[in-house]
Amino acid sequence: VKEARAQERQHGKTSSTSKGVGKTGSTGTRLHTELLFRDFLRFSALAWGTSLFKIGGPFHIKGVPWKRDQELFRKWCLGQTGFPFVDAGMRELAATGYMSHLHRQCCAAFLVRDLGLDWRMGAEHFESQLLDHTPDANWGNWAYRILQRPSLVETRANYPLEEHVNTVEVVVWPAVHDAQLEHTLLWVPELQGLPKDLAREPWRTEGQPSKRIKIKPYK
């Protein structure tokens, strides 16, 4: 962090995307933030103890009807969900043992919020695949970032379920972070023959191209 900030003082601040300093700050600031969060998860894991590995997580979530559908889980692991951004991340993980932070968060959220699978199944799969796995970072991120908070579980229980995609990132993030679909089409080559807007949302080929999938943000 010290070296990054010294570099910025000498040459000016930059972002990791080379698009200027955005809302997350400069590269040095972002690095500092990520190191703080790393230490937060390390100390939190010590405080949470074995609750980190239980279905309710460290916040003792109750009332979520978790599923353990092995076929849904298999398709998620293999990158065959039908959502290209998710599938690209999961296929890259299977082939290389690595996936970006954006994909980790998106794929994890999709497993929990849309497939409704036991979050520990996903955490265990990441543990078995990631070359950079550490228990505090992997399980801590699943429990802290992906699991619902108790108050949100109670709130959502008061409203009827609707058919929609909860993980809005599956559509928004590829448009923002992979606009030309270079990464997505590298790992999901069967979509290369489609125009980019349809390759990003291939379900639109099944009906009217102008029809959009219904999306509702999770938070």
Side-chain angles (χ1 to χ4, degrees), residues 9-147:
R9 283 194 295 270
Q10 182 177 356
H11 301 286
K13 293 183 178 181
T14 61
S15 74
S16 58
T17 61
S18 300
K19 296 180 180 178
V21 180
K23 65 179 182 180
T24 57
S26 67
T27 300
T29 300
R30 182 57 188 268
L31 175 61
H32 186 218
T33 300
E34 292 299 325
L35 290 175
L36 287 175
F37 192 72
R38 178 202 65 181
D39 290 347
F40 165 76
L41 289 179
R42 287 180 174 178
F43 286 112
S44 294
L46 292 173
W48 292 334
T50 58
S51 66
L52 181 58
F53 307 101
K54 296 179 181 178
I55 195 165
F59 302 106
H60 310 291
I61 307 300
K62 296 180 180 179
V64 179
W66 298 108
K67 297 182 295 187
R68 296 188 63 85
D69 188 313
Q70 294 299 315
E71 181 60 18
L72 281 179
F73 182 60
R74 185 186 70 84
K75 289 183 177 180
W76 179 80
C77 291
L78 295 176
Q80 297 176 357
T81 68
F83 289 85
F85 193 70
V86 174
D87 291 345
M90 296 307 297
R91 293 182 190 186
E92 180 182 18
L93 175 63
T96 70
Y98 175 82
M99 66 197 309
S100 70
H101 172 71
L102 288 175
H103 277 102
R104 296 182 198 203
Q105 188 169 334
C106 184
C107 294
F110 185 80
L111 176 117
V112 170
R113 302 169 188 173
D114 290 288
L115 299 183
L117 296 174
D118 184 337
W119 68 277
R120 298 171 301 175
M121 297 169 69
E124 289 174 354
H125 181 70
F126 275 18
E127 179 176 348
S128 70
Q129 298 291 310
L130 286 169
L131 296 176
D132 60 357
H133 167 270
T134 61
D136 54 299
N138 180 48
W139 288 84
N141 271 296
W142 276 87
Y144 187 80
R145 293 182 184 272
I146 305 303
L147 273 183

Side-chain angles (χ1 to χ4, degrees), residues 140-156:
N141 271 296
W142 276 87
Y144 187 80
R145 293 182 184 272
I146 305 303
L147 273 183
Q148 304 174 31
R149 295 296 188 270
S151 59
L152 184 56
V153 174
E154 295 172 3
T155 300
R156 289 174 66 86

Side-chain angles (χ1 to χ4, degrees), residues 84-85 88 92 103 174-175 177-189 192 196 199-200:
F85 193 70
E92 180 182 18
H103 277 102
H177 301 289
D178 189 23
Q180 299 303 315
L181 296 185
E182 294 178 2
H183 181 272
T184 298
L185 294 179
L186 173 66
W187 294 103
V188 192
Q192 290 179 358
K196 286 187 171 60
R200 187 180 297 111

